[in-house]
Amino acid sequence: MVEFKNLKEMLQRFSDENICRQYMEKMRWGESPFCPHCNSTKPYKLKNGKTYRCSNKTCRKNFTVTVGTVFENSKVKLSTWMAAIYLATAHKKGVSSLQLSRDLGITQKTAWFVMHRIRLLMADPEPAPMKNIVEVDETYVGGKFQNMNRKRRKKLQEESIDNKTTVMGFVEREGKGRLTVLGNGTFKDNVRENVKKDSIVVTDSHLSYVGLGEEYKQHLSVNHSIMQFRDGLAYTNSVEGFFSCLKRSILGIYHSVSPKHLQRYCNETAYRYNSRKISDKERFAQTMQN
């Protein structure tokens, strides 16, 4: 396995496409490659050095290590992909597509495509319900009408479009965090979907959370309107700090995020938050494994 400690060493190690491909094969298959189409364990390599052919008589399909991954059918070099993954996961607030395009010598359009593919790697495909003590809160993402140019502000007001998108945050005490864009359901629906019934739920005094104590082990709350921020186990400081990670990345790096793609940025923030205690090298390897 290729070892490195920082960006400089990473770029030196993965400058060659063959080394990148060997690293991916080691990460995905270990010592014995298998066919992604039929799972046959005896493919053989063709003369070009990167394509395999399945030896199963009923399959006989050609494939490479990128089949079934986010790199499939991409003309971007693997060395560029890996540099982008390192930059996207190591930067504490993320990296914009414009900055990535300048760093890697690719177009902004390609950098935007690469970043959204990387965000797919950061999403949890099967999120498990949170347990124990779970802090729950909500925030609103979107610019203010008074800060928009006249044309955009007039259009949104004429169409009666609310420029704010609601994001629910969940933080398991001494555990992981999760951000979800509120869809057609209510605050309670989101809590039911993301928190186990035998957990203690901690919220603020928003009326939408009233009644959770009847469904969960316990419901604790703090009333911010009377300057109450902590009452024993009842506080939402962790989830509010979690929200600040999302807000800082949007305000400082991305500047503008559409509701259509907001969930992907939420997944990116949650991934970075949940892996904050491991090194950049470990986070890179974990992302490549995903």
Side-chain angles (χ1 to χ4, degrees):
M1 193 66 70
V2 179
E3 292 292 334
F4 57 89
K5 296 180 180 179
N6 49 52
L7 177 61
K8 182 181 177 181
E9 291 184 6
M10 182 267 172
L11 293 175
Q12 290 174 343
R13 299 293 189 274
F14 292 113
S15 60
D16 184 74
E17 288 296 294
N18 290 328
I19 293 177
C20 294
R21 194 169 295 276
Q22 290 169 11
Y23 177 80
M24 283 193 62
E25 290 179 357
K26 189 78 171 179
M27 291 283 285
R28 185 174 186 183
W29 295 327
E31 298 299 329
S32 55
F34 60 87
C35 175
H37 304 289
C38 68
N39 293 325
S40 172
T41 57
K42 294 183 179 180
Y44 58 91
K45 187 176 288 188
L46 301 183
K47 287 184 178 180
N48 63 10
K50 65 179 183 179
T51 305
Y52 289 82
R53 178 170 292 165
C54 182
S55 60
N56 188 343
K57 293 181 180 180
T58 60
C59 182
R60 300 292 292 175
K61 290 182 179 178
N62 294 347
F63 63 91
T64 66
V65 70
T66 61
V67 170
T69 71
V70 297
F71 312 116
E72 186 177 4
N73 295 329
S74 170
K75 294 181 181 179
V76 180
K77 291 183 178 180
L78 286 178
S79 56
T80 303
W81 271 108
M82 291 187 178
I85 289 174
Y86 186 92
L87 291 171
T89 55
H91 285 220
K92 301 309 176 187
K93 295 181 184 178
V95 58
S96 70
S97 59
L98 283 167
Q99 184 64 52
L100 194 66
S101 69
R102 291 192 292 268
D103 290 344
L104 300 181
I106 55 180
T107 65
Q108 187 273 334
K109 185 177 180 180
T110 300
W112 193 88
F113 164 79
V114 166
M115 281 302 303
H116 275 294
R117 282 288 181 96
I118 293 172
R119 290 184 183 106
L120 290 177
L121 303 177
M122 297 178 174
D124 189 351
E126 297 179 357
M130 310 190 91
K131 56 186 179 180
N132 300 326
I133 303 175
V134 183
E135 295 180 29
V136 182
D137 202 2
E138 75 288 335
T139 191
Y140 302 91
V141 177
K144 298 178 180 179
F145 280 119
Q146 60 264 34
N147 293 338
M148 299 178 186
N149 63 62
R150 187 184 305 172
K151 184 177 179 180
R152 178 171 172 78
R153 179 170 63 242
K154 183 179 179 181
K155 180 181 179 182
L156 291 176
Q157 289 175 339
E158 286 177 351
E159 296 176 0
S160 299
I161 296 177
D162 186 2
N163 196 45
K164 298 288 187 180
T165 303
T166 306
V167 175
M168 294 280 293
F170 303 87
V171 171
E172 190 178 286
R173 294 268 174 91
E174 305 301 327
K176 294 186 175 182
R178 183 179 303 160
L179 294 170
T180 61
V181 176
L182 187 68
N184 296 325
T186 64
F187 287 2
K188 283 184 181 178
D189 291 335
N190 248 8
V191 175
R192 295 182 187 111
E193 184 179 343
N194 290 281
V195 183
K196 280 188 174 182
K197 293 295 182 180
D198 59 350
S199 305
I200 298 175
V201 179
V202 184
T203 69
D204 56 21
S205 57
H206 199 292
L207 293 177
S208 297
Y209 299 119
V210 173
L212 285 177
E214 300 173 3
E215 302 181 41
Y216 287 86
K217 180 179 179 180
Q218 193 176 0
H219 176 209
L220 306 175
S221 64
V222 287
N223 191 346
H224 292 163
S225 63
I226 60 171
M227 303 301 290
Q228 182 189 39
F229 299 102
R230 189 178 187 123
D231 184 12
L233 285 176
Y235 60 88
T236 58
N237 298 344
S238 303
V239 69
E240 287 167 7
F242 188 21
F243 283 144
S244 72
C245 298
L246 175 65
K247 295 290 184 72
R248 290 304 100 193
S249 66
I250 292 176
L251 292 174
I253 304 299
Y254 304 121
H255 304 311
S256 177
V257 174
S258 68
K260 177 181 178 181
H261 298 297
L262 180 57
Q263 184 60 59
R264 295 184 181 184
Y265 291 89
C266 289
N267 294 339
E268 179 185 359
T269 300
Y271 185 80
R272 194 172 287 111
Y273 178 86
N274 294 333
S275 61
R276 65 193 182 278
K277 294 183 180 180
I278 63 177
S279 67
D280 293 340
K281 180 184 71 172
E282 292 171 321
R283 194 181 300 106
F284 170 83
Q286 177 179 296
T287 310
M288 287 296 298
Q289 191 68 52
N290 292 343

